[in-house]
Amino acid sequence: MTEIHPAPIEAKDFLDFVNQAQSPFHATEQAVLRLRKAGFQEIKEKDNWNNTLKRNGKYYFTRNRSAVIAFAVGGKYKPGNGFSAIGAHTDSPCLKIKPVSKKEKLGYLQVGVQLYGGGLWHTWFDRDLSVAGRVVVETEDGKLESRLARIDRPILRIPTLAIHLDRSTSAEGFKFNNETHLTPMISTVTKSLTGAPPKALKPDTEINGDIPLSEKHHPVLLHLLSKELNVDVEKILDFELCLYDTQPSAIGGAYNEFIFSGRLDNLMMSYCSVEALIRSLKDSNSLANDPNIRLVSLFDNEEVGSNTAHGADSNLLPSTFERLSLANYDGEVESHQTAYLEALPKSYLISADMAHAVHPNYSEKHDDGHRPHMHKGVVVKINANQRYATTAPTTVVLREAAKKYGVPLQEFVVRNDSPCGSTIGPMLSAKLGLRTVDVGNPQLSMHSIREVCGTEDVPLAIKLFEGFFEEFPSIDARLTVD
């Protein structure tokens, strides 16, 4: 019998990360905590960086507290040199609480939700749900603060209809309406906070202007948030809350080969990117001899098109590249007018987003020659219609790093009779004229509330990304593509 080995430490560490990252705000916070522990210094977008940045320095900043950029300046960096960059995203498909969520029906208190992204919404039924996100509160001294909030117990449930009441489910499958059937319940009227039926909300046609928060949401929900934040209900001004499955992520499979978790797409790649950047700096000589800036950018809103102030289609990465290219380092004025434009063709981006593993029950959904498997390496994603930004030269660069670090690679191409998803890769490649490769770890059940990937693939991705940071300048020096 095959010996059952423990899962890689990186897989266990990822569980610590994802189990504390139930919203983009929490994911960003978890990344920031790791960066701080590794000695990264926080800077602000609104500040002048010229008197701050130094060669061999490590820095990070956040935008909207749902996106974060971390970078380390090579000891041999000069303005006009390139960026060794990895991009991923902090958001995942989920249900979000509506601005006016207060609903009551037949004695049940319900919470109105919006659909965020393209989730497999049927998987959200009959799960033990709660909420996490950010809440804006007024402090005792009148300041307005954005605080993280997470209720760590099940408070919401979307129940399915018993098969006895709908026999068509057996023959026709589970069908539901996203607006009327995907509404979670939070309590019953008889057990509500006040002990009395809640005050009915006026119809939209009768609402003129804004209405108090207490009339938009059930008192029981506001009470739970106030208890979590240790503030009075009246001090809660607004919030952005995601629903999440309270069942913790776990390692499973007979040989500890699987990770069962929500939000693998794309917190797995976010975790691997940050961890690789940190690890690449443990040998101080590595950064000291680097002519580039090593950078990781975790964006928000990829699942809804990235066209936001903190998404990949914003100015977040272009403005960062430009500022770093034109900045003064170690107090010296070295930059020149075209440094930013010179840096772009010397740079390279890994667009890191999870990939589709071949499904044992639906193998016909994959092209015969492009069937990624778990535990067999990081997946390079290619599409002739440029839904992925991978090209032959960008693949060669990655393969050279993978070869040196012993990381196997796989390739994925979508079938010709199937639509192809996309990533942040093409939009950033087009926006910046940036050489880009699209990669990701293979997974099953993408966009389900509970996804599956391989434990052995976690250290492989970290190792590949770490190798990229350390080897890209030397590999690029051997490559000529004008």
Side-chain angles (χ1 to χ4, degrees):
M1 180 177 178
T2 304
E3 183 181 355
I4 301 177
H5 294 285
I9 58 173
E10 293 88 350
K12 295 177 181 178
D13 190 47
F14 169 72
L15 294 189
D16 293 337
F17 178 87
V18 73
N19 279 328
Q20 297 296 321
Q22 292 85 359
S23 75
F25 311 108
H26 287 82
T28 299
E29 180 67 12
Q30 288 304 304
V32 164
L33 289 174
R34 289 169 181 267
L35 292 166
R36 285 177 182 164
K37 186 177 179 181
F40 281 72
Q41 175 186 344
E42 182 177 16
I43 56 178
K44 302 288 186 181
E45 264 197 291
K46 61 185 178 183
D47 293 341
N48 187 325
W49 296 349
N50 280 338
N51 297 320
T52 301
L53 300 180
K54 293 177 173 57
R55 291 177 180 82
N56 297 302
K58 302 179 290 185
Y59 310 92
Y60 77 90
F61 67 90
T62 63
R63 182 185 283 190
N64 190 53
R65 216 63 189 178
S66 64
V68 57
I69 287 183
F71 60 92
V73 183
K76 295 184 177 179
Y77 175 78
K78 294 181 180 180
N81 286 7
F83 297 90
S84 307
I86 302 178
H89 62 91
T90 60
D91 63 316
S92 303
C94 67
L95 302 176
K96 293 192 174 187
I97 291 183
K98 288 182 176 180
V100 180
S101 71
K102 195 174 187 180
K103 292 177 178 286
E104 179 191 345
K105 197 169 187 179
L106 300 173
Y108 293 98
L109 303 188
Q110 295 179 296
V111 176
V113 293
Q114 300 182 80
L115 311 184
Y116 177 85
L120 291 174
W121 303 121
H122 67 274
T123 64
W124 287 72
F125 283 80
D126 296 332
R127 303 296 299 186
D128 301 335
L129 306 174
S130 193
V131 294
R134 70 171 168 194
V135 181
V136 180
V137 301
E138 182 180 2
T139 64
E140 293 298 328
D141 56 1
K143 293 181 179 179
L144 307 180
E145 288 184 358
S146 175
R147 298 183 183 177
L148 292 182
R150 179 179 62 240
I151 298 176
D152 286 320
R153 65 181 182 89
I155 62 170
L156 297 165
R157 184 88 171 189
I158 307 172
T160 49
L161 181 65
I163 194 170
H164 313 79
L165 303 179
D166 185 7
R167 296 290 183 181
S168 66
T169 300
S170 297
E172 301 175 11
F174 180 40
K175 298 178 180 179
F176 58 94
N177 181 281
N178 286 340
E179 178 62 29
T180 58
H181 298 149
L182 202 61
T183 303
M185 58 184 186
I186 189 171
S187 180
T188 57
V189 170
T190 55
K191 291 290 185 180
S192 63
L193 186 64
T194 60
K199 181 181 177 182
L201 184 66
K202 293 180 180 181
D204 290 345
T205 53
E206 297 181 24
I207 296 175
N208 294 312
D210 202 7
I211 58 176
L213 199 70
S214 59
E215 291 188 26
K216 296 180 180 180
H217 308 284
H218 284 300
V220 64
L221 176 61
L222 297 175
H223 172 75
L224 290 170
L225 289 173
S226 70
K227 188 177 179 181
E228 170 68 24
L229 295 168
N230 195 28
V231 298
D232 294 335
V233 169
E234 293 75 20
K235 297 295 184 179
I236 297 176
L237 304 181
D238 210 340
F239 51 71
E240 297 172 63
L241 296 176
C242 305
L243 274 64
Y244 75 94
D245 185 2
T246 59
Q247 181 180 358
S249 303
I251 290 172
Y255 299 102
N256 292 319
E257 68 264 48
F258 299 129
I259 294 176
F260 305 139
S261 174
R263 305 177 300 282
L264 290 178
D265 175 22
N266 192 39
L267 293 190
M268 173 59 76
M269 292 293 93
S270 295
Y271 164 81
C272 291
S273 302
V274 170
E275 190 65 20
L277 177 60
I278 293 171
R279 291 190 182 192
S280 76
L281 306 174
K282 287 188 176 179
D283 180 356
S284 58
N285 290 328
S286 173
L287 185 63
N289 292 313
D290 197 333
N292 280 11
I293 291 179
R294 303 176 185 180
L295 182 145
V296 165
S297 184
L298 306 184
F299 301 97
D300 194 4
N301 301 131
E302 188 275 345
E303 298 293 353
V304 293
S306 298
N307 190 23
T308 65
H310 24 279
D313 203 23
S314 70
N315 73 335
L316 180 54
L317 193 59
S319 64
T320 302
F321 279 2
E322 184 173 9
R323 292 186 70 175
L324 293 178
S325 296
L326 300 178
N328 300 331
Y329 294 85
D330 302 305
E332 302 173 2
V333 180
E334 300 178 89
S335 188
H336 48 281
Q337 189 175 4
T338 62
Y340 170 56
L341 298 177
E342 292 172 25
L344 294 179
K346 299 174 186 174
S347 302
Y348 183 101
L349 172 71
I350 294 178
S351 167
D353 207 344
M354 294 295 276
H356 299 291
V358 64
H359 198 301
N361 302 334
Y362 301 91
S363 59
E364 71 280 0
K365 294 296 184 179
H366 275 69
D367 180 78
D368 289 344
H370 304 90
R371 292 180 167 179
H373 290 262
M374 296 182 195
H375 316 304
K376 291 189 176 181
V378 178
V379 180
V380 179
K381 298 183 280 188
I382 303 161
N383 183 257
N385 294 309
Q386 298 302 299
R387 299 290 288 171
Y388 303 129
T390 305
T391 65
T394 60
T395 303
V396 167
V397 169
L398 193 72
R399 287 194 182 282
E400 289 296 305
K403 186 193 308 180
K404 182 165 183 177
Y405 281 75
V407 178
L409 297 178
Q410 308 180 75
E411 292 176 319
F412 172 75
V413 172
V414 74
R415 285 172 56 105
N416 288 328
D417 55 1
S418 176
C420 183
S422 191
T423 68
I424 63 173
M427 69 178 65
L428 287 173
S429 181
K431 183 188 290 284
L432 291 164
L434 199 62
R435 292 176 293 171
T436 303
V437 64
D438 270 292
V439 307
N441 275 358
Q443 73 161 94
L444 296 172
S445 306
M446 189 178 287
H447 288 194
S448 170
I449 198 171
R450 200 79 176 168
E451 302 169 321
V452 188
C453 72
T455 54
E456 299 290 341
D457 294 323
V458 186
L460 287 178
I462 294 173
K463 196 174 182 181
L464 176 64
F465 296 164
E466 182 182 355
F468 160 70
F469 281 131
E470 295 187 352
E471 301 298 329
F472 170 65
S474 61
I475 295 171
D476 195 41
R478 298 159 47 203
L479 178 68
T480 302
V481 181
D482 289 326

